[in-house]
Every structure is written in structure tokens, then in C-alpha cells.
Amino acid sequence: MIQVKDISIDNFQGIINLVYEDQEINNKVLENLKLKKVFEGKSGQVFYKTTEDLNYEIFVGLGKFNELEKTDLINAVAKSVKQAEKLNINELGINFIKANGLCTGGITKSIVQGVKLASYKFDKYKGNKEAYNPNVTIVGAPKEKLEKMKLKIEEASNVADGIIVARDLVNEPANVLYPETLAKRAVEIGKDSGFEVEVFDEKQIEDLGMKAFLEVGKGSVHKPRLIVMRYMGNENSDERVGLVGKGLTFDTGGYSLKPSASMDTMKSDMGGAAAVIGTMQALAKNKVSKNVVAVVAACENAISGGSYKPGDIIGSMSGKTIEVLNTDAEGRLTLVDAITYIIEKENVDKVVDVATLTGAVLVALGTEITGVLSNNDEFYEELVVAARRSGEKFWRLPNDKCFKKLYKGDFAELKNTGGRFAGTITAGMFIEEFVQDKPWLHLDIAGTSWTDAANDSTPKGGTGAPVSTLYELVVKHQCKHK
């Protein structure tokens, strides 16, 4: 439980103090620690001591005030909660603190996210372990902000749960999570959260004319599923936002076979699907007054006598023909049919596709920044605002017409790969060919949806990116008061 109250810190087994390296000191204990250089408030530092009442006081460093980013605050809170877990503290207070560039609501949400994600573990296959779930109270906040903060706590808690759902889905092994079981999970989440889920089987997918999607999935014993999720939170509006998540529950690369070292994490190739499912849960649980449709074309890219091959020419739901040069460039084939479906059958006004699409994006941007392509400056600016609120990082790449020649087909209208150069750009622009001039954002999360470098709020595995940003993008609210 997380709450905010105007009460004394004497009520807790432990109290957390978030400390800036350059803050004015009005605490004798802290002043002493800094003088002795035991604890100086540097980013990542943590120190604890017992009080006269044999309770604990935990100090966690934030670094310099003007250098703090939202993710730093989230990780600092998570670090302090992990320390509290080691000390077996069940009644925990956190002293509210101001943060550069964040309003009271933003700080509150960061604290909640840090608390909830600190104890995340995917250990269901290691035996049952009781999760650490302390009672946490935020204290010392402005009294006039308490009621607003209570609302923010609930909102942020539901968004954090959406991140956790996305992480859990990504971390499930492919022998447990495949198209049919992913669809079942989506149905269960929809029932629990309050959004509609419709699942199409392979015959229905064929009837829709989703030829590119079917080609990718036809080599697997696990048959494809089209998962359509609808949350209609505003009956007075006809506007619908469309979210499309790449749903490759496992990717061998097909006949363009991946090396073994590149394949063991390919259960995560449905990170886009996980993100849109987690976002739909958060939107529905928070009863957001927006209409959103999310679509996942779920399949496995496997090898069999019936698999599609390099050199094949295939169709698509849009009618465009595609020359397959590389069967490991499969995600874009599933996405374009899902995008055609969401535009033509669900009548969305804007489209965001989210996909672990290219290794090239890791070469370009590393593992903490998501690559973006867009055909609409205004829609991209909405993403920028959403990212400021979420703390996640994005970088827009050019979709200049000079790149079109790289994926123009020799024997069909398009090729499914543009070659080595500008790989993230040509993959995104291939998808752009199918968006029918709708405002569109393409988020390549190949570098950000999985991590091997754990931090205090994110262990190795699925990160849940970019659930927070997608939520903020749909909600589109502004922080007006500091």
C-alpha cells in the first residue's frame, strides 16, 4: 500500500531521506555524515543508521539538483526500498522532496513507480517466494497538494502495474507464451481491467486478406492469432487512437537463421505487443476518457517445410506486393497487415506502432533511447511532451524520400529489407508505405524493451518500455502548477 499523509515520521520503522549533493543542510545527522564524507548525497550512494527508538533512517543520494532526471529519482527511490527490504522494514516513510523540472504530481508518480518496481522479480520458475510489499507513506508534502497526490498515487500505481504486466509477458519463455496463450492472457487482462478483446484465428485472418502476416507464421506449429483490444472511454467522441504492437512470440529468423547467441532472448520479440497490452490495462484501470484500439498480430517465425523463403513474393492486406529478401525481416510484414486492419476495420485516426524491429537501432542509439520515425510533426511533438512526463527517452530519425530507393522492389512493389545502410530508417519507412497518410509514429524499441544491465528499478529481462510514454501520449494531460 502507498499513501500520503500529514503525520510525524515517528510513526514508522524506517524513514527514507532523498538527498541532493548540493542541497542546503538543515539536518545535524546529515551534516555530520557529509563532513566525515561517509555520505555526500552523490548519485547512487546509500547509507542507513538506527535512531534512538531503534528504528532506521535511510539516506539515498540524488546527485546534483539541476542534473536530476526523472529516471534518476525513480531509481533512487527503488534503491532505498531495496535497502528497506534488507532491513525487514514493513512500515516505511518517504520524505517528499522537490525535483528539478517535475511538478508535485510528477514527483509523486516517480516515487510510486520507484516503490512498485523496486521489488519486481520474474522468479515464478524458481519456486514460490513471498514478495516484499511494505506499507509506504509519503510525508512532508505540501498540505494543499495532498488530495491531488492521492489521485496521482492511484493513477501511477495502475501505470506501474501496466509496466509489470508488460515485463511479465516479455519474460515468459516461448514454450509457455505463444500466439494462442498470448491471446488468452490478453482476454484475461481485458476482463480484469475493463476493455474488450476479440481474437481472430488463422481462418479469420485469411478471410481478412492478411497475407503478409500469415506468411510469417505459417512455418510454426503454433498458429497465428490476431488480437484486437478496444477501450472506449469517451462515448461523446469519435476520435480513436490506434496502437499496434509487434507480436513475434519467438523469432528464429526463419530460413535467414539467426546465430544461436542472438536467439536465446528472442522470446522478447513480442515486446511491442506486451507494451500495448500493458498500456491498455493502465488506461482502462484509470478510466481514461479516451477511445483506444490496440492490435497485435501474434505469430512465431519458425522453420519448416512450409515456411516462407528468401526470394518469395507475397501479398498483403493492403494489396501491395512484397519481395522477401530476408525472412528475419519479418516483424514489418506482420505490422503492415495489422496497421491496414486497424485503419480500415477499426477506423482509427492516428497510429502508433511499437516494435522490437531492428538491431540497427542499438548500433545507432544504444539501449536507453528509442528510435522514432513519424510522418507528422504535431504528433511527434505530442510524443516529446509525453516522454518528458514519463522520463523515457526518444530520438527522431529522418524519413527522407532519398531512402525510398533502398527498399523499392525489383520484382514486386517493395522489398522487405533495404540492406545494411540506414536499417532502422528503411524498416520504419517500409511500414510508412501502409499508413495511408494517417498521423503515425513508429517506435523501434529493440534496444529499450530488454536489458542485460540491471538497475534498481529494472532487473535483467523485459523493461516494460514504453508503457509509461504510451499512457501519457494517450492521456495528453499537462502539468500546469509547480
Side-chain angles (χ1 to χ4, degrees):
M1 180 182 72
I2 306 172
Q3 60 183 346
V4 58
K5 283 187 176 181
D6 181 22
I7 57 175
S8 166
I9 62 173
D10 298 332
N11 293 276
F12 306 105
Q13 293 173 280
I15 188 75
I16 290 170
N17 297 295
L18 301 164
V19 181
Y20 289 105
E21 187 178 352
D22 53 355
Q23 77 181 53
E24 185 179 335
I25 302 172
N26 54 10
N27 178 310
K28 286 187 177 179
V29 173
L30 183 56
E31 184 177 3
N32 226 7
L33 292 173
K34 284 198 171 187
L35 278 173
K36 294 179 180 179
K37 296 190 175 180
V38 174
F39 174 84
E40 299 173 276
K42 292 180 179 179
S43 179
Q45 281 189 318
V46 61
F47 178 86
Y48 70 90
K49 63 179 286 294
T50 54
T51 68
E52 292 179 357
D53 299 321
L54 299 180
N55 292 329
Y56 289 100
E57 194 166 9
I58 300 170
F59 299 91
V60 178
L62 295 174
K64 294 181 179 178
F65 181 84
N66 288 330
E67 295 178 1
L68 185 79
E69 297 181 348
K70 185 172 183 178
T71 50
D72 299 326
L73 179 55
I74 292 168
N75 280 321
V77 172
K79 181 181 283 290
S80 64
V81 172
K82 286 179 180 294
Q83 183 63 64
E85 181 178 9
K86 291 176 185 176
L87 298 170
N88 295 314
I89 298 171
N90 293 312
E91 296 294 332
L92 186 61
I94 298 180
N95 269 318
F96 186 82
I97 192 168
K98 291 184 178 179
N100 183 39
L102 290 176
C103 61
T104 302
I107 296 165
T108 304
K109 289 161 74 172
S110 299
I111 292 172
V112 172
Q113 193 167 327
V115 169
K116 295 209 70 169
L117 298 184
S119 55
Y120 176 80
K121 298 180 182 72
F122 188 78
D123 56 4
K124 63 189 286 188
Y125 298 106
K126 291 184 176 182
N128 293 324
K129 297 181 180 179
E130 189 173 341
Y132 177 59
N133 188 26
N135 293 319
V136 176
T137 303
I138 303 170
V139 297
K143 292 180 181 180
E144 70 274 13
K145 300 286 187 179
L146 293 183
E147 291 308 311
K148 179 182 176 182
M149 288 176 67
K150 290 174 184 177
L151 296 175
K152 291 297 178 184
I153 287 171
E154 183 179 4
E155 179 187 18
S157 184
N158 286 330
V159 174
D161 286 341
I163 293 170
I164 289 168
V165 161
R167 289 182 179 184
D168 282 345
L169 291 172
V170 169
N171 289 331
E172 281 286 4
N175 61 321
V176 174
L177 195 75
Y178 42 89
E180 298 97 322
T181 52
L182 177 60
K184 287 179 182 177
R185 294 275 186 101
V187 169
E188 291 166 1
I189 292 166
K191 285 181 180 177
D192 178 64
S193 307
F195 61 87
E196 174 192 346
V197 182
E198 184 176 7
V199 179
F200 296 79
D201 63 21
E202 61 268 32
K203 178 64 170 63
Q204 293 169 304
I205 295 167
E206 183 179 7
D207 291 343
L208 286 166
M210 303 180 82
K211 297 175 182 178
F213 172 30
L214 286 172
E215 285 289 334
V216 175
K218 70 181 185 180
S220 175
V221 295
H222 296 300
K223 299 307 176 186
R225 292 291 182 267
L226 181 69
I227 307 166
V228 181
M229 296 160 276
R230 305 180 185 96
Y231 171 70
M232 298 295 132
N234 188 353
E235 61 183 16
N236 297 318
S237 173
D238 294 327
E239 184 181 17
R240 294 185 176 191
V241 177
L243 306 177
V244 176
K246 178 182 171 184
L248 267 292
T249 56
F250 196 80
D251 178 23
T252 67
Y255 277 111
S256 303
L257 187 66
K258 293 179 185 291
S260 180
S262 300
M263 208 187 297
D264 60 351
T265 59
M266 280 298 102
K267 65 180 184 179
S268 69
D269 211 19
M270 40 63 69
V276 301
I277 292 170
T279 302
M280 292 295 282
Q281 172 178 297
L283 292 166
K285 286 205 166 185
N286 281 328
K287 296 181 172 57
V288 172
S289 182
K290 301 285 182 178
N291 300 323
V292 187
V293 179
V295 170
V296 171
C299 64
E300 281 188 343
N301 186 20
I303 300 174
S304 75
S307 298
Y308 77 136
K309 305 170 294 299
D312 285 358
I313 294 176
I314 64 176
S316 64
M317 186 177 178
S318 73
K320 294 181 190 292
T321 57
I322 304 163
E323 185 180 349
V324 176
L325 298 188
N326 188 327
T327 61
D328 196 23
E330 84 301 326
R332 65 202 72 180
L333 300 178
T334 66
L335 286 167
V336 297
D337 273 355
I339 284 171
T340 301
Y341 171 87
I342 205 170
I343 291 172
E344 295 187 355
K345 302 297 184 182
E346 301 294 334
N347 302 311
V348 297
D349 302 282
K350 297 178 177 180
V351 179
V352 184
D353 78 78
V354 190
T356 51
L357 206 63
T358 66
V361 78
L362 283 97
V363 177
L365 297 174
T367 59
E368 295 186 32
I369 300 177
T370 292
V372 184
L373 273 80
S374 182
N375 64 353
N376 187 283
D377 291 345
E378 184 179 343
F379 200 18
Y380 176 73
E381 286 304 315
E382 291 177 14
L383 177 70
V384 171
V385 173
R388 282 197 206 108
R389 296 185 64 83
S390 72
E392 295 177 314
K393 296 181 179 181
F394 299 82
W395 191 262
R396 188 178 185 180
L397 298 167
N399 52 332
D400 191 275
K401 68 179 182 180
C402 70
F403 297 107
K404 285 179 175 282
K405 60 180 178 289
L406 297 178
Y407 59 88
K408 183 179 179 181
D410 297 315
F411 304 104
E413 291 173 78
L414 302 167
K415 298 185 291 196
N416 80 322
T417 176
R420 320 182 36 210
F421 301 119
T424 301
I425 293 170
T426 56
M429 288 183 67
F430 177 89
I431 294 168
E432 187 179 4
E433 298 285 340
F434 297 80
V435 301
Q436 302 180 26
D437 295 323
K438 297 287 185 184
W440 161 77
L441 294 167
H442 164 65
L443 311 183
D444 192 333
I445 60 170
T448 53
S449 66
W450 177 275
T451 186
D452 289 318
N455 61 41
D456 290 296
S457 64
T458 309
K460 179 178 179 177
T463 65
V467 169
S468 293
T469 304
L470 291 175
Y471 176 84
E472 297 289 353
L473 181 66
V474 171
V475 173
K476 288 199 304 188
H477 49 23
Q478 301 296 321
C479 184
K480 295 178 181 178
H481 303 292
K482 294 288 184 183

